[in-house]
């Protein structure tokens, strides 16, 4: 008989054990080994049966066991010490507080709101699907460790992402278990009267999308998750947060409206209810949350908040917004039908003070070859953010090229998108045995500091760890993975319908002394799960080599709607099912954080073979490197940046003529053949050869040297602590400064009331403060900078058609053609109604190619000489140094100039000389 309703009955803990609740409800336990050990000691069998989840553990442990622990003095001391340690962690000063108090430091943001559609915090809170979510989770954890005042914002998916199993013939099957919040480390955000805080969004047709807010505590960082599955909603609206990346176009749009608009309102409610400082910087992690900028404009346009016009509100919002893009291909961007967006932001669903045409302009594909019928979320994210970044150096280059249409007239290198290379949270991903080995050499305190901040360039001291210790550790971790793989493979075959009598072979799958290669990730076509299968016989020979065998552990999920990805999994499973090789290659279904935490440490080599340059970063290889695993990868993402020849191997890539190849073309097939052959050669002649090259003591000296070098040099680089520090210093702090200049100061603590229709609309208090975090403007005071900048931009845009470079001449005597000499440039510029202070005139020079394109450009600002002539032209002069030999060229351009622009390209305006038939040529020695 099936129950008609399910709920959780929680255990009542004895008073002596109450701190267990405190420890269980703060997700710091997921990366704090001592706390995990404490929970394991409560009841090891229940701990394992509940998936190592403290909340479920406390709900299922027998009452008799709790009673015994309540009188166990040793357990009480451990519990008290860990509770004290958590409180100290939550309240004590950390890196950010020290940085904030430095005498020479600029003021740092009071708080940063970080928006992401998914978060991978722990397997016990399955609100993630892949790399984007894991990265977001690591960002929050690192921010907590560093003391950075981040507030995370996302959605609470009642079904999370799917659980994966295989049919008998290897086809991926999906299950969507219902998540009960009462069984998770979350709590409802409540009003002072105890009722759940509610966020409302107006929808077309007079409907309302309402949501409650679940709060997960990630160390010091609150994570707010909006949940539409509440009784106030109709069935359609209740399903908005049912599944991660599920449903059709309108369903996805509603999810992103709730994340962006509802997320801002949730932050306002949280700050009002808790006294948390209101964020002055908003970080949009990918375009899914882009509507947060539209909601913040609505706040400032509202009469009781700022009373700004749209243009001034846009400038105030842009100044404090950062947009991070994670996709290297246009196909990875969310795009909606323009009419669908218009319907949800017009009529009775309109945001007060935010005209629908202004919203549509933010997401318009206005560039050449753009689709005028579509609304582009990444374009909106870039237009609403004064600062933007990719997630590796190579991805920054790809992003500047991909989005260059938003900045016409500028070379891709000048597109204002920088890069911050991703990192991973060491305490989450390093196996405790690796930590113990490092701590034995460095000391526990120094080892913890090294894993947290990433401030050093090398983990100096690890060089002293002996070869025997390194090799014994690697075998221990490999054996650990072998046992885990056998357990998971047995369970998978049972679900596929195999009887127990058929599975005796599973106990001999894999070998703890054989070179182990790992490959685990999502399964879109560009990641090329089956590249290793291009020549099956060659792969068989590698797996079954008589003296240098290789074994491979594979895992990955295809999107439920991606039949192509499912076919790739089926092909891999079919190969791995072959009795001749199944002891050497396994596919493990249901790849998640719990599996990954065993997989990365246990592998000797981490394989990554995407189509270059389609891997934005690829952080799985970073997690492997932290455990002494060597990378074998295409030079893409982070590996292109940090491969040094001693920390692994680079898979050669076939030449490509026109950027990204069409995966359906014959040329792409040939590329796969070439790169697969290179992969086989590397594994056979370099990787396996080095792994099995042993000295008299049975130790692979060269291999161990590579492992040690990886830990010493890559360890500090791949840390999320390093990544978050870069965000603080290079992006968050400048954004806060820009926001302060435009708004007139840091936002004060939030007041007022949120939750009414239309979002947070608190009344200003006597001091002019409100729940938006902004003070009401006074004459010439608050928002004066935003108004001035908006008016200046409007003036420049209107006047720009009249701005021209009319004449360029250079004095070029014979001696000026020598390296180190100078050209005297004189330029006549028509500025129309603009003044010289509104522009900068630059000489752009450098090496030129056969098409006269300038590369590695040097910029020289020319100076105005006197006032305008009778024709209204202004003369600019400067000395251009001839700093390079060989083909050399220059041009002149005019750019808008304002001290509050984050980039000269911000407006996308540039005036260039009229092109002649060809460049004047001369021999410059």
């Amino acid at each position: 008989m099936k129950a008609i309703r399910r709920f959780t009955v929680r255990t009542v803990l004895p008073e002596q054990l109450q701190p267990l609740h405190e420890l269980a409800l703060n997700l710091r336990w997921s990366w704090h080994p001592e706390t995990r050990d404490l929970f394991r000691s409560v009841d090891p069998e229940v701990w394992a049966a509940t998936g190592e989840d403290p909340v479920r553990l406390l709900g299922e442990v027998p009452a008799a066991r709790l009673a015994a622990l309540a009188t166990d003095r040793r357990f009480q001391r451990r519990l008290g010490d860990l509770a004290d340690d958590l409180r100290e962690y939550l309240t004590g000063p950390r890196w950010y507080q020290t940085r904030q108090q430095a005498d020479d430091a600029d003021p740092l943001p009071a708080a940063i709101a970080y928006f992401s559609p998914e978060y991978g915090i722990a397997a016990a809170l399955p609100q993630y699907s892949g790399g984007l979510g894991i990265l977001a989770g690591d960002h929050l954890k690192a921010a907590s460790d560093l003391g950075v005042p981040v507030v995370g914002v996302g959605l609470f998916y009642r079904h999370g992402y799917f659980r994966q199993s295989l049919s008998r013939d290897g086809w991926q099957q999906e299950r969507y278990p219902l998540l009960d919040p009462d069984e998770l480390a979350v709590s409802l955000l409540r009003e002072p009267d105890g009722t759940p805080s509610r966020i409302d969004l107006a929808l077309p047709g007079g409907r309302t999308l309402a949501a409650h807010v679940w709060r997960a505590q990630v160390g010091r960082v609150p994570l707010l998750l909006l949940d539409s599955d509440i009784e106030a909603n109709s069935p359609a609206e209740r399903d908005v947060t049912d599944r991660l990346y599920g449903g059709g176009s309108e369903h996805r749009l509603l999810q992103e409206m709730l994340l962006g608009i509802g997320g801002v309102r949730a932050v306002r409610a949280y700050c009002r209810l808790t006294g948390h400082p209101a964020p002055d910087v908003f970080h949009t992690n990918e375009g899914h949350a882009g509507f947060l900028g539209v909601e913040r404009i609505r706040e400032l346009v509202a009469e009781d908040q700022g009373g700004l016009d749209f243009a001034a509100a846009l400038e105030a919002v842009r100044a404090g917004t950062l947009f991070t893009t994670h996709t290297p291909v246009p196909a990875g961007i969310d795009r909606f039908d323009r009419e669908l967006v218009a319907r949800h932001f017009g009529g009775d669903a309109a945001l007060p003070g935010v005209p629908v045409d202004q919203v549509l302009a933010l997401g318009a594909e206005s560039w050449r070859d753009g689709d005028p019928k579509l609304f582009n979320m990444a374009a909106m994210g870039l237009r609403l953010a004064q600062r933007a970044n990719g997630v590796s150096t190579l991805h920054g280059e790809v992003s500047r090229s991909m989005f260059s249409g938003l900045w016409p007239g500028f070379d891709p290198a000048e597109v204002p998108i920088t890069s911050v290379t991703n990192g991973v949270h060491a305490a989450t991903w390093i196996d405790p045995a690796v930590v113990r080995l490092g701590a034995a050499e460095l000391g526990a305190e120094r080892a913890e500091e090294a894993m947290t901040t990433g401030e050093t360039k090398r983990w100096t001291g690890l060089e002293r760890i002996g070869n025997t210790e390194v090799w014994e550790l690697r075998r221990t971790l490999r054996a650990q993975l072998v046992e885990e793989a056998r357990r998971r493979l047995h369970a998978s075959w049972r679900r596929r319908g195999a009887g127990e009598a058929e599975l005796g072979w599973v106990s001999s799958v894999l070998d703890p002394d054989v070179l182990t290669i790992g490959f685990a990730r999502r399964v879109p076509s560009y990641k090329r799960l089956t590249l290793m299968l291009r020549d099956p016989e060659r792969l068989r020979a590698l797996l079954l080599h008589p003296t240098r065998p290789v074994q491979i552990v594979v895992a990955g999920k295809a999107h439920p709607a991606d039949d192509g990805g499912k076919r790739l999994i089926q092909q891999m499973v079919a190969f791995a099912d072959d009795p001749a090789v199944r002891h050497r290659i396994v596919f493990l279904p249901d790849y998640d954080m719990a599996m990954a935490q065993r997989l990365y440490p246990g592998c000797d080599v981490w394989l990554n073979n995407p189509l270059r340059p389609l891997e934005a970063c690829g952080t799985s290889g970073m997690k492997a490197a932290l455990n002494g695993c060597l990378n074998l990868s295409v030079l893409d993402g982070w590996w292109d940046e940090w491969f040094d020849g001693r920390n692994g191997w680079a898979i050669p890539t076939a030449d490509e003529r026109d950027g990204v190849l069409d995966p359906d073309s014959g040329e792409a097939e040939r590329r796969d053949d070439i790169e697969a052959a290179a992969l086989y050669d590397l594994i056979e002649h370099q990787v396996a050869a080095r792994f099995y090259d042993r000295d008299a003591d049975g130790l692979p000296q060269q291999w161990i040297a590579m492992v040690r070098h990886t830990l010493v040099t890559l360890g500090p680089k791949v840390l999320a602590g390093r990544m978050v520090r870069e965000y603080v210093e290079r992006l968050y702090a400048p954004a806060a400064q820009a926001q302060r200049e435009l708004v007139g100061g840091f936002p004060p603590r939030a007041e007022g009331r949120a939750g009414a229709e239309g979002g947070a609309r608190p009344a200003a208090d006597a001091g002019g403060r409100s729940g938006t975090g902004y003070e009401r403007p006074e004459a010439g005071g608050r928002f004066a900078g935003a108004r001035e900048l908006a008016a200046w931009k409007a003036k420049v845009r209107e006047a720009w058609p009249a701005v021209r470079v009319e004449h360029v001449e250079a004095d070029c005597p014979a001696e000026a053609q020598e390296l180190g000499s100078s050209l005297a440039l004189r330029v006549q510029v028509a500025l129309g109604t603009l003044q010289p202070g509104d522009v900068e005139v630059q000489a752009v020079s450098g090496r030129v190619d056969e098409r006269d394109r300038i590369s590695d450009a040097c910029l020289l600002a020319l100076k105005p000489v006197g006032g305008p002539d009778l024709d209204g032209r202004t003369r600019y002069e400067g000395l251009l140094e001839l700093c390079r030999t060989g083909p050399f060229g220059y041009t002149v351009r005019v750019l808008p100039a304002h001290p509050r622009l984050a980039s000269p390209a911000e407006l996308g305006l540039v005036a260039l000389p009229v092109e002649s038939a060809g460049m004047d040529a001369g021999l410059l020695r």
Side-chain angles (χ1 to χ4, degrees):
M1 185 177 298
K2 188 174 182 180
I4 62 170
R5 188 171 182 181
R6 169 185 171 146
F7 53 90
T8 298
V9 180
R10 288 188 170 178
T11 300
V12 177
L13 291 176
E15 182 178 352
Q16 300 92 325
L17 301 183
Q18 284 299 317
L20 284 173
H21 270 313
E22 182 183 353
L23 294 175
L25 291 177
N26 191 308
L27 287 158
R28 186 198 182 214
W29 61 258
S30 67
W31 73 89
H32 192 249
E34 292 85 353
T35 303
R36 293 173 60 82
D37 288 342
L38 177 77
F39 281 117
R40 183 180 293 106
S41 70
V42 169
D43 192 315
E45 290 186 5
V46 177
W47 174 251
T50 57
E52 301 187 351
D53 179 348
V55 175
R56 291 181 58 199
L57 168 77
L58 296 181
E60 298 184 21
V61 68
R65 175 58 178 163
L66 292 175
L69 290 174
T71 60
D72 185 330
R73 291 185 178 180
R74 179 177 297 179
F75 184 85
Q76 291 295 316
R77 283 195 297 272
R78 288 179 65 196
L79 176 58
D81 289 345
L82 287 170
D84 289 343
D85 179 75
L86 176 61
R87 296 184 192 108
E88 181 180 353
Y89 173 87
L90 296 177
T91 58
R94 304 189 74 80
W95 171 84
Y96 193 82
Q97 288 67 41
T98 303
R99 170 77 168 74
Q100 202 165 34
Q101 293 166 5
D103 293 337
D104 60 345
D106 292 328
L108 295 176
I112 301 102
Y114 180 90
F115 286 64
S116 177
E118 53 174 299
Y119 289 91
I121 308 295
L125 187 65
Q127 300 289 305
Y128 62 93
S129 71
L132 180 68
I134 301 299
L135 180 279
D138 283 4
H139 194 109
L140 297 195
K141 294 173 189 176
S144 173
D145 289 343
L146 294 171
V148 182
V150 167
V151 178
V153 183
L155 300 180
F156 182 81
Y157 305 99
R158 287 290 177 140
H159 292 279
Y161 203 54
F162 70 90
R163 303 296 302 273
Q164 178 197 49
S165 58
L166 300 173
S167 67
R168 187 75 188 205
D169 63 356
W171 188 256
Q172 173 178 291
Q173 297 178 317
E174 299 93 24
R175 295 177 291 116
Y176 292 89
L178 180 65
L179 299 178
D180 180 357
D182 290 334
E183 292 182 341
L184 303 175
V186 296
S187 58
L188 270 180
L189 185 65
R190 295 184 180 274
E191 298 293 334
D193 63 3
T195 60
S197 186
R198 181 174 141 179
I199 307 300
D200 289 349
L201 273 67
L203 299 180
R207 296 176 296 131
T208 297
L209 173 59
H212 288 164
V213 182
W214 294 99
R215 170 185 171 181
Q217 195 64 35
V218 185
R220 298 167 70 115
V221 172
L223 171 58
L224 310 178
L225 302 171
L226 287 90
D227 178 11
S228 70
D229 187 14
I230 63 176
E231 293 184 359
N233 283 328
S234 67
E237 280 71 49
R238 292 188 73 153
D239 286 345
V240 166
T241 57
D242 59 348
R243 296 178 183 179
L244 180 60
Y245 303 142
S249 182
E250 183 169 13
H251 184 271
R252 186 72 167 265
L253 177 63
L254 290 175
Q255 284 190 337
E256 300 191 0
M257 289 175 62
L258 183 60
L259 175 60
I261 299 171
V264 172
R265 298 175 185 178
V267 169
R268 304 306 187 202
Y270 176 77
C271 293
R272 169 178 58 82
L273 291 167
T274 65
H276 193 285
D280 36 36
V281 175
F282 285 73
H283 185 171
T284 308
N285 190 39
E286 200 40 89
H288 310 286
F291 290 121
L292 71 86
V294 178
E295 166 63 9
R296 292 172 60 218
I297 290 173
R298 181 204 66 78
E299 292 179 329
L300 296 180
V301 170
E303 286 294 333
D304 60 344
Q305 301 297 326
L308 301 182
D309 61 24
F310 184 92
L314 173 60
E315 295 306 326
V317 165
R318 289 185 73 253
T321 302
L322 166 65
F323 174 73
T324 298
T325 174
H326 291 261
T327 180
V329 289
I333 297 169
D334 276 347
R335 303 159 83 202
F336 297 104
D337 184 273
R338 182 181 172 91
E339 293 305 315
L340 177 66
V341 176
R343 188 165 68 250
H344 283 80
F345 284 88
D348 56 356
L351 294 174
V354 185
V356 65
D357 61 320
Q358 297 280 16
V359 176
L360 294 175
L362 290 170
E365 295 192 352
S366 55
W367 52 88
R368 185 171 54 184
D369 299 327
D371 190 335
K373 296 180 181 179
L374 293 179
F375 183 94
N376 187 301
M377 293 295 290
M380 178 175 67
L382 290 164
R383 289 183 173 120
L384 282 169
Q386 195 177 50
R387 287 162 181 80
N389 71 284
V391 291
S392 69
T393 298
L394 178 60
H395 181 237
E397 296 174 10
V398 171
S399 298
R400 287 188 287 275
S401 179
M402 185 168 69
F403 294 113
S404 61
L406 287 167
W407 290 272
F410 291 88
D411 291 338
E414 295 185 291
V415 167
I417 300 176
T418 185
S419 62
V420 174
T421 302
N422 283 343
V424 297
H425 186 245
T428 296
W429 300 110
I430 297 184
D431 191 274
V434 180
V435 176
R436 288 192 295 270
L437 184 64
E441 195 62 50
L442 304 178
E445 187 173 336
R446 187 180 163 203
E448 181 179 356
E449 176 69 16
M451 290 193 304
T452 300
T453 63
E455 289 189 288
T456 60
K457 293 184 178 180
R458 294 171 63 89
W459 278 353
T460 304
L462 296 185
E463 302 98 328
R464 297 191 297 268
I465 299 175
N467 288 351
T468 300
E469 287 83 357
V470 171
W471 192 238
E472 287 178 352
L473 171 66
R474 293 303 315 150
R475 190 189 189 283
T476 297
L477 297 176
R478 202 181 305 116
Q480 194 173 277
L481 171 59
V482 168
E483 289 305 311
E484 177 76 1
R486 290 172 180 173
R487 182 185 67 81
R488 287 179 176 269
L489 191 65
H490 183 276
S492 173
W493 272 98
R494 291 289 285 162
R495 282 191 292 269
R496 292 174 69 182
E500 194 66 41
E502 302 176 63
L503 299 178
W505 60 274
V506 172
S507 63
S508 60
V509 162
L510 305 182
D511 185 326
D513 292 309
V514 167
L515 170 63
T516 304
I517 298 175
F519 183 102
R521 49 192 39 88
R522 292 184 302 110
V523 190
S525 59
Y526 78 87
K527 291 183 182 284
R528 298 194 292 185
L529 168 71
T530 56
L531 184 69
M532 66 181 80
L533 303 182
R534 295 295 292 185
D535 185 342
E537 292 310 310
R538 185 85 185 271
L539 178 59
R540 288 174 192 272
L542 291 172
L543 296 172
L544 302 176
H545 194 283
T547 58
R548 299 200 302 259
V550 171
Q551 59 192 15
I552 305 177
V553 181
V554 184
K557 290 180 176 179
H559 188 281
D562 182 10
D563 283 350
K566 293 179 182 180
R567 281 191 289 273
L568 296 179
I569 290 175
Q570 190 175 41
Q571 292 169 28
M572 178 59 69
V573 172
F575 183 89
D577 282 353
D578 183 347
V581 296
R582 64 188 182 187
H583 63 299
R584 286 282 186 258
I585 182 169
V586 297
F587 181 89
L588 304 180
D590 209 24
Y591 180 48
D592 64 0
M593 290 184 71
M595 181 194 295
Q597 286 170 324
R598 293 293 183 90
L599 187 54
Y600 298 130
C603 291
D604 299 295
V605 174
W606 195 256
L607 174 61
N608 188 32
N609 46 230
L611 278 168
R612 187 180 191 272
L614 302 187
E615 185 81 273
C617 185
T619 55
S620 63
M622 294 179 169
K623 302 177 186 98
L626 280 174
N627 289 280
C629 177
L630 306 180
N631 275 268
L632 171 60
S633 177
V634 165
L635 287 175
D636 202 1
W638 76 277
W639 192 236
D640 179 75
E641 196 170 334
W642 289 333
F643 168 66
D644 67 4
R646 298 169 59 198
N647 51 17
W649 296 269
I651 302 171
T653 52
D655 292 333
E656 52 180 296
R657 292 194 300 271
D658 301 308
V660 178
L661 296 175
D662 179 357
D664 297 323
S665 71
E667 190 174 4
E669 289 289 313
R670 181 173 173 272
R671 173 176 176 161
D672 282 356
D673 287 338
I674 293 171
E675 295 183 10
L679 172 61
Y680 298 136
D681 286 343
L682 272 173
I683 292 174
E684 180 178 6
H685 301 299
Q686 295 191 40
V687 181
R690 182 158 296 187
F691 182 87
Y692 289 105
D693 180 17
R694 310 293 170 87
D695 64 9
D697 296 322
L699 299 178
Q701 298 283 354
Q702 289 185 303
W703 187 277
I704 294 171
M706 292 180 72
V707 170
R708 188 182 289 109
H709 177 74
T710 292
L711 291 171
V712 169
T713 61
L714 276 184
K717 291 180 180 179
V718 303
L719 294 182
R722 183 270 313 155
M723 172 189 72
V724 172
R725 284 192 302 102
E726 284 194 41
Y727 273 112
V728 169
E729 294 167 350
R730 294 175 48 203
L731 295 167
Y732 293 163
Q737 173 67 20
Q739 198 262 0
R740 180 166 61 250
E741 291 176 358
L742 293 191
V743 175
F746 275 124
R749 183 174 62 83
E751 305 284 345
R753 186 179 188 282
E757 201 281 326
R761 289 175 169 269
D765 67 11
R769 296 185 175 92
S770 71
T772 65
Y774 299 108
E775 296 183 24
R776 296 176 63 182
E778 304 297 337
R782 301 287 285 178
F783 300 103
R787 290 188 172 97
E788 184 274 330
L789 181 58
W792 178 84
K793 284 188 174 182
K795 177 187 73 171
V796 169
R797 289 189 178 104
E798 182 179 1
W800 202 255
V803 175
R804 296 184 303 276
V805 178
E806 295 201 342
H807 181 71
V808 180
E809 61 180 70
D811 289 341
C812 186
E815 61 271 17
Q817 298 177 5
E818 301 294 337
L819 180 68
S821 299
S822 299
L823 300 179
L825 293 181
R826 291 185 295 276
V827 181
Q828 297 286 347
V829 177
L831 295 179
T833 59
L834 298 181
Q835 300 299 313
D838 294 323
V839 303
E840 181 172 287
V841 179
Q842 296 177 341
V844 184
S845 64
R847 189 178 301 277
V848 293
D849 60 18
E850 66 278 0
R851 296 182 299 167
D852 296 339
R853 301 290 298 179
I854 296 172
S855 60
D856 298 325
C858 295
L859 304 179
L860 171 67
L862 305 179
K863 302 297 183 183
V865 179
D869 62 16
L870 295 177
D871 295 322
R873 299 177 303 183
T874 301
R875 180 175 169 180
Y876 286 79
E877 295 183 354
L879 290 176
L880 176 62
E881 182 180 355
L882 304 182
C883 57
R884 300 176 187 178
T885 59
F888 187 91
Y890 71 88
T891 188
V892 175
R893 66 182 182 182
V894 186
L895 301 172
H898 191 285
R900 289 182 175 135
L901 295 182
S903 162
E906 184 170 315
L907 274 74
L909 299 175
V910 60
L912 299 167
V914 176
E915 291 189 17
S916 59
M919 175 180 172
D920 293 335
L923 183 62
L924 304 181
R925 297 181 179 85

mmCIF file of all heavy atoms in Angstrom, residues 749 751 763-770 776:
data_model
loop_
_atom_site.group_PDB
_atom_site.id
_atom_site.type_symbol
_atom_site.label_atom_id
_atom_site.label_comp_id
_atom_site.label_asym_id
_atom_site.label_seq_id
_atom_site.Cartn_x
_atom_site.Cartn_y
_atom_site.Cartn_z
ATOM 1 N N ARG A 749 23.083 48.993 5.990
ATOM 2 C CA ARG A 749 22.337 47.779 6.332
ATOM 3 C C ARG A 749 20.888 47.922 5.907
ATOM 4 O O ARG A 749 20.280 48.980 6.011
ATOM 5 C CB ARG A 749 22.413 47.546 7.847
ATOM 6 C CG ARG A 749 21.728 46.266 8.297
ATOM 7 C CD ARG A 749 21.965 46.026 9.775
ATOM 8 N NE ARG A 749 21.397 47.094 10.595
ATOM 9 C CZ ARG A 749 20.113 47.129 10.951
ATOM 10 N NH1 ARG A 749 19.294 46.182 10.557
ATOM 11 N NH2 ARG A 749 19.664 48.109 11.700
ATOM 12 N N GLU A 751 16.869 47.721 5.685
ATOM 13 C CA GLU A 751 15.737 47.859 6.590
ATOM 14 C C GLU A 751 14.481 47.567 5.782
ATOM 15 O O GLU A 751 14.515 47.291 4.605
ATOM 16 C CB GLU A 751 15.663 49.278 7.165
ATOM 17 C CG GLU A 751 16.938 49.736 7.842
ATOM 18 C CD GLU A 751 17.101 49.108 9.208
ATOM 19 O OE1 GLU A 751 16.115 48.561 9.725
ATOM 20 O OE2 GLU A 751 18.223 49.161 9.741
ATOM 21 N N ALA A 763 9.485 50.986 3.141
ATOM 22 C CA ALA A 763 9.492 52.432 3.308
ATOM 23 C C ALA A 763 10.835 52.855 3.872
ATOM 24 O O ALA A 763 11.416 52.184 4.712
ATOM 25 C CB ALA A 763 8.372 52.855 4.250
ATOM 26 N N ALA A 764 11.337 54.008 3.404
ATOM 27 C CA ALA A 764 12.606 54.497 3.922
ATOM 28 C C ALA A 764 12.453 54.915 5.365
ATOM 29 O O ALA A 764 11.411 55.405 5.786
ATOM 30 C CB ALA A 764 13.074 55.685 3.080
ATOM 31 N N ASP A 765 13.514 54.685 6.147
ATOM 32 C CA ASP A 765 13.456 55.103 7.538
ATOM 33 C C ASP A 765 13.841 56.575 7.640
ATOM 34 O O ASP A 765 14.074 57.259 6.647
ATOM 35 C CB ASP A 765 14.355 54.203 8.411
ATOM 36 C CG ASP A 765 15.834 54.361 8.099
ATOM 37 O OD1 ASP A 765 16.199 55.306 7.370
ATOM 38 O OD2 ASP A 765 16.625 53.542 8.613
ATOM 39 N N ALA A 766 13.928 57.052 8.849
ATOM 40 C CA ALA A 766 14.188 58.470 9.042
ATOM 41 C C ALA A 766 15.535 58.881 8.483
ATOM 42 O O ALA A 766 15.746 60.045 8.129
ATOM 43 C CB ALA A 766 14.121 58.808 10.535
ATOM 44 N N GLY A 767 16.449 57.950 8.389
ATOM 45 C CA GLY A 767 17.777 58.254 7.843
ATOM 46 C C GLY A 767 17.858 58.132 6.345
ATOM 47 O O GLY A 767 18.920 58.295 5.772
ATOM 48 N N GLY A 768 16.728 57.826 5.684
ATOM 49 C CA GLY A 768 16.734 57.704 4.241
ATOM 50 C C GLY A 768 17.148 56.348 3.745
ATOM 51 O O GLY A 768 17.327 56.147 2.559
ATOM 52 N N ARG A 769 17.315 55.369 4.645
ATOM 53 C CA ARG A 769 17.740 54.044 4.219
ATOM 54 C C ARG A 769 16.535 53.206 3.825
ATOM 55 O O ARG A 769 15.424 53.423 4.277
ATOM 56 C CB ARG A 769 18.517 53.346 5.332
ATOM 57 C CG ARG A 769 19.829 54.047 5.687
ATOM 58 C CD ARG A 769 20.592 53.235 6.701
ATOM 59 N NE ARG A 769 21.904 53.828 6.970
ATOM 60 C CZ ARG A 769 22.130 54.691 7.939
ATOM 61 N NH1 ARG A 769 21.142 55.077 8.736
ATOM 62 N NH2 ARG A 769 23.342 55.183 8.125
ATOM 63 N N SER A 770 16.794 52.189 3.020
ATOM 64 C CA SER A 770 15.700 51.328 2.583
ATOM 65 C C SER A 770 16.227 49.939 2.325
ATOM 66 O O SER A 770 17.421 49.690 2.323
ATOM 67 C CB SER A 770 15.068 51.878 1.299
ATOM 68 O OG SER A 770 15.939 51.705 0.220
ATOM 69 N N ARG A 776 18.070 57.342 -0.091
ATOM 70 C CA ARG A 776 17.353 58.224 -0.991
ATOM 71 C C ARG A 776 18.259 59.381 -1.390
ATOM 72 O O ARG A 776 19.027 59.904 -0.594
ATOM 73 C CB ARG A 776 16.087 58.746 -0.310
ATOM 74 C CG ARG A 776 15.095 57.629 -0.001
ATOM 75 C CD ARG A 776 13.903 58.150 0.748
ATOM 76 N NE ARG A 776 13.166 59.118 -0.070
ATOM 77 C CZ ARG A 776 12.093 59.750 0.384
ATOM 78 N NH1 ARG A 776 11.662 59.550 1.607
ATOM 79 N NH2 ARG A 776 11.453 60.607 -0.394
#
